[in-house]
Amino acid sequence: MKRLKNIVLSLLLVLALAGCRGSELPAGMDSETLLAAGQDVMLHLVEEEFEAVYEMLREDQRALFTVEDISRVVSSQLSGAGEYKQIEKRMTTGSTIDGERYGIAVFYCDFSEEDVLVRISFDAQMQLVGFSLKQD
């Protein structure tokens, strides 16, 4: 039960990070670098390379998740979306939560059946702290 609670709290953090729009990136964070790192994570997710995503997570996040947790979340969120085709649009935004700055790479992706919004969140040191996927 405690593990499930931690997973839910982490997902809520990702959603809170993703809900912020138009904020500046953390000092020293470059938009193109953020987009490249985010795209790398996004491609691992859609190609079902969950071990690679797990290894990219910041240490405190790895303590909360397993590879199986990532697989379940992604499979659930992409169910019915079909096969990944391409990125239609991409952008970056920033967020601050409890004094910590985050950069978020946002991808609007074309899948064979549905469009999918993918958000990948990094801390100011460019360590992966979360992700979310949502069918449009």
Side-chain angles (χ1 to χ4, degrees), residues 18 20 34-35 38 87 89-93 104-109 117-120:
C20 301
L34 177 59
L35 287 170
I87 296 170
K89 183 180 171 185
R90 60 191 207 150
M91 60 172 278
T92 61
T93 189
I104 305 164
V106 182
F107 302 93
Y108 297 88
C109 300
L117 174 63
V118 180
R119 298 175 181 119
I120 311 292

Side-chain angles (χ1 to χ4, degrees), residues 51-101:
E51 181 73 36
V53 175
Y54 177 81
E55 292 301 322
M56 297 169 94
L57 284 168
R58 190 170 70 182
E59 187 176 346
D60 62 331
Q61 296 302 307
R62 282 195 309 265
L64 299 174
F65 293 100
T66 65
V67 173
E68 292 77 27
D69 294 331
I70 295 170
S71 175
R72 276 193 299 274
V73 168
V74 173
S75 296
S76 171
Q77 295 302 311
L78 294 181
S79 177
E83 184 178 322
Y84 169 76
K85 301 268 188 191
Q86 66 184 3
I87 296 170
E88 293 178 351
K89 183 180 171 185
R90 60 191 207 150
M91 60 172 278
T92 61
T93 189
S95 180
T96 302
I97 296 180
D98 294 333
E100 187 172 5
R101 299 278 299 143

